[in-house]
Amino acid sequence: MNQQEIQSVKQRFGIIGNAPALNYAINVAMQVAATDLTVLITGESGSGKESFSKIIHSLSARKHGQFIAINCGAIPEGTIDSELFGHEKGSFTGAVDSRKGYFETTNGGTIFLDEIGEMPVGTQARLLRVLENGEFIRVGSSKTQKTDVRVVAATNVNLMDAVEKGKFREDLYYRLNTVPIFVPPLRERGTDIELLFRKFTTDFAERYRIKPLQLTEGAKQTLIGFPFPGNIRQLKNIAEQISILESEQNKPIDTDTLAKYLPQWQAPTQSLALFSGTHNDNFSERELLYKVLFDMRRDVNDLKKLVRDVLGNEHDSRQILSNHKDLFDSIAPDAEPRQPSDMGTGVTRFLPALNGSRPETPTRPAVPPSENYGHHPPVQLFDEVDGDINEVTEVEDVTHETEEDDSLSLERQEKEMILKALRRNNNKRKYAAQALGISERTLYRKIKQYEIDEE
């Protein structure tokens, strides 16, 4: 299918977005629609799985037949057999008359079974017979009936896990999964989030006769960066809230205003109390990376300023170091030791501790001044603040060491957060990934990368 045909289907069914994963899912749905193959649509709750079932039905030869969507999780276990396959009079208490089931009334059409993973095991056996032979038996009857129905199923759970736990039949899984279609979650669709938000706010503005909302560039990036566990359904609710409650604003919605409507979330530059002494369970990988990067940037800027002042004021070095005492006090006592041999040729001394005693294991090398400060003589390093200046030792290229140290620090922090999440969730990857705000596949890759033992 070409892009023009895909865009035509999007307009027909009101699908907004241009994410590659979304276009691929639509393409698969268009190709399989002309057949009678069983389709299994997977994706998170609220990601729009029902729209794909409608695409398949409307583009198939059954488009003039009946289409019915059934939520298997919303029907009680005791009545789901009767709802799907019908029942005979007197077959159970309250069955005062015979009744046709959905598979009988939609003969020649399409049935969409949403939340198929919630279907009872007994009902799964009946469904398997329909898929295999096109036959079913009403509850309380012994007569076999025929039906010609196409089944499109959807689920937001991992059916293979359900099979391993004995909650879902393995033969039914493979029968349903003839053609799989994966609907991507909203957080993986990038700028589609902004397009959907604009569409929703415009619709609400027309419905409530208010002025459409606009977002600042910062608010747009905040919106795109939010994980949206409820997907499109959650985005629509947030858009409606803001449209009503912020309708009197005459200026675009900024980041702070938008953050008030995003549950359990704050802008990365304002929250991120993960390493500042405040315990926070609702962290994400994005927030972790922002925090570490901002801390690195602040430390590097402080070191640049310190080295520049030392180079420019050799005679007042003691006073300069005293003014920056907090920079050295913040060095963790349990930091990994760095040997002089690790820092490259020519560097044999480190900046001293301010109390007059040399630290046992230096933790950070001197950082050369930025090129913006011009050319300076070689750096002079001191054994003690009150002592004489030792011989001049040239500091050769150590920038790569700082970058390597920063990279290792970031990886170490990331590994610690993964270990913390795994311990908190009893080594269950699914819940640990949700706590970290990353996908289970990404967590698995990180576990392999850092050689984390889950035992």
Side-chain angles (χ1 to χ4, degrees):
M1 300 292 176
N2 56 42
Q3 290 297 321
Q4 185 175 358
E5 292 175 329
I6 294 177
Q7 292 298 327
S8 177
V9 170
K10 289 181 183 178
Q11 294 176 2
R12 179 178 174 182
F13 294 93
I15 299 176
I16 298 175
N18 298 300
L22 177 66
N23 290 339
Y24 177 77
I26 295 175
N27 185 33
V28 174
M30 294 169 62
Q31 289 181 326
V32 76
T35 70
D36 272 340
L37 296 175
T38 305
V39 179
L40 179 62
I41 305 173
T42 59
E44 296 180 4
S45 178
S47 58
K49 297 186 291 293
E50 187 171 346
S51 298
F52 287 84
S53 67
K54 294 178 179 178
I55 292 175
I56 294 172
H57 173 72
S58 300
L59 299 182
S60 70
R62 300 174 181 267
K63 60 184 177 182
H64 299 297
Q66 189 172 358
F67 173 84
I68 184 169
I70 304 167
N71 190 324
C72 299
I75 304 177
E77 183 176 351
T79 61
I80 189 171
D81 286 351
S82 174
E83 294 288 331
L84 294 178
F85 309 106
H87 64 261
E88 296 292 343
K89 180 179 179 180
S91 57
F92 54 86
T93 303
V96 297
D97 201 356
S98 298
R99 178 186 180 278
K100 293 182 178 181
Y102 294 131
F103 277 97
E104 191 172 350
T105 58
T106 57
N107 188 30
T110 304
I111 286 184
F112 174 56
L113 298 177
D114 197 7
E115 306 299 342
I116 190 70
E118 303 297 327
M119 179 177 286
V121 177
T123 308
Q124 294 175 24
R126 288 174 173 265
L127 176 60
L128 180 62
R129 184 173 182 181
V130 173
L131 296 175
E132 292 285 356
N133 306 317
E135 298 176 350
F136 69 94
I137 300 176
R138 286 185 180 183
V139 177
S141 174
S142 59
K143 180 182 177 181
T144 301
Q145 299 189 48
K146 288 283 188 177
T147 185
D148 178 22
V149 176
R150 181 178 192 174
V151 175
V152 178
T155 181
N156 63 348
V157 299
N158 190 326
L159 290 184
M160 283 305 299
D161 289 345
V163 169
E164 294 176 358
K165 296 176 182 178
K167 296 181 179 180
F168 201 83
R169 293 177 62 102
E170 185 176 9
D171 49 2
L172 178 59
Y173 170 75
Y174 290 115
R175 189 64 181 81
L176 287 171
N177 199 31
T178 306
V179 178
I181 295 178
F182 173 71
V183 182
L186 184 59
R187 62 179 173 274
E188 296 181 3
R189 292 174 55 180
T191 55
D192 288 359
I193 298 175
E194 180 191 348
L195 298 177
L196 286 165
F197 183 84
R198 188 188 310 166
K199 171 66 166 56
F200 292 146
T201 53
T202 302
D203 291 345
F204 292 131
E206 294 178 357
R207 178 187 303 179
Y208 301 119
R209 298 181 180 180
I210 56 180
K211 183 179 179 181
L213 296 180
Q214 294 183 346
L215 299 177
T216 63
E217 288 300 322
K220 291 178 181 178
Q221 296 303 318
T222 299
L223 191 69
I224 294 174
F226 188 73
F228 286 105
N231 291 290
I232 298 176
R233 188 180 295 120
Q234 183 182 14
L235 176 62
K236 186 175 182 179
N237 291 341
I238 292 175
E240 187 171 15
Q241 291 180 38
I242 299 178
S243 296
I244 298 299
L245 301 179
E246 303 294 338
S247 58
E248 297 181 357
Q249 280 205 24
N250 296 322
K251 58 181 182 179
I253 302 298
D254 57 17
T255 302
D256 294 335
T257 303
L258 178 63
K260 295 188 299 183
Y261 297 92
L262 302 180
Q264 299 181 355
W265 187 89
Q266 291 180 337
T269 57
Q270 296 177 355
S271 64
L272 300 174
L274 299 176
F275 304 104
S276 60
T278 303
H279 183 69
N280 184 4
D281 291 338
N282 299 314
F283 57 85
S284 68
E285 185 179 35
R286 180 187 295 271
E287 293 179 351
L288 169 63
L289 293 176
Y290 270 120
K291 174 62 178 175
V292 174
L293 290 174
F294 288 152
D295 287 347
M296 287 182 179
R297 180 180 178 182
R298 184 179 63 249
D299 290 344
V300 170
N301 287 338
D302 290 345
L303 285 171
K304 284 182 178 180
K305 181 178 179 181
L306 174 61
V307 173
R308 181 194 62 181
D309 293 341
V310 170
L311 293 174
N313 301 274
E314 298 178 0
H315 300 290
D316 298 329
S317 59
R318 184 177 65 177
Q319 182 63 33
I320 293 173
L321 293 176
S322 298
N323 293 338
H324 294 82
K325 181 178 180 180
D326 57 336
L327 180 61
F328 297 96
D329 291 342
S330 64
I331 298 177
D334 58 347
E336 295 183 2
R338 294 174 56 87
Q339 301 299 329
S341 59
D342 295 335
M343 296 187 57
T345 305
V347 178
T348 59
R349 290 180 174 80
F350 298 86
L351 291 175
L354 294 180
N355 57 7
S357 61
R358 176 184 295 276
E360 296 180 1
T361 55
T363 59
R364 186 174 299 188
V367 178
S370 172
E371 294 180 358
N372 296 333
Y373 300 131
H375 176 72
H376 294 280
V379 176
Q380 293 177 318
L381 305 176
F382 309 98
D383 286 335
E384 294 182 355
V385 174
D386 295 331
D388 295 332
I389 298 177
N390 289 308
E391 65 274 8
V392 174
T393 306
E394 293 189 2
V395 176
E396 299 186 0
D397 182 18
V398 297
T399 305
H400 64 282
E401 289 291 342
T402 303
E403 293 175 352
E404 180 180 359
D405 183 56
D406 291 344
S407 175
L408 292 175
S409 175
L410 175 58
E411 292 180 356
R412 185 163 55 251
Q413 297 286 5
E414 189 175 46
K415 181 178 179 180
E416 289 177 359
M417 301 311 297
I418 292 174
L419 288 170
K420 183 185 298 183
L422 287 171
R423 286 194 297 267
R424 186 178 295 117
N425 293 279
N426 296 324
N427 287 332
K428 295 185 181 297
R429 292 180 188 170
K430 177 180 179 181
Y431 302 112
Q434 291 176 355
L436 289 167
I438 61 178
S439 66
E440 190 172 353
R441 182 181 301 176
T442 301
L443 177 59
Y444 177 78
R445 189 175 69 252
K446 293 291 184 181
I447 290 174
K448 292 298 183 183
Q449 176 183 345
Y450 297 130
E451 299 180 350
I452 296 176
D453 187 5
E454 300 178 80
E455 295 293 331

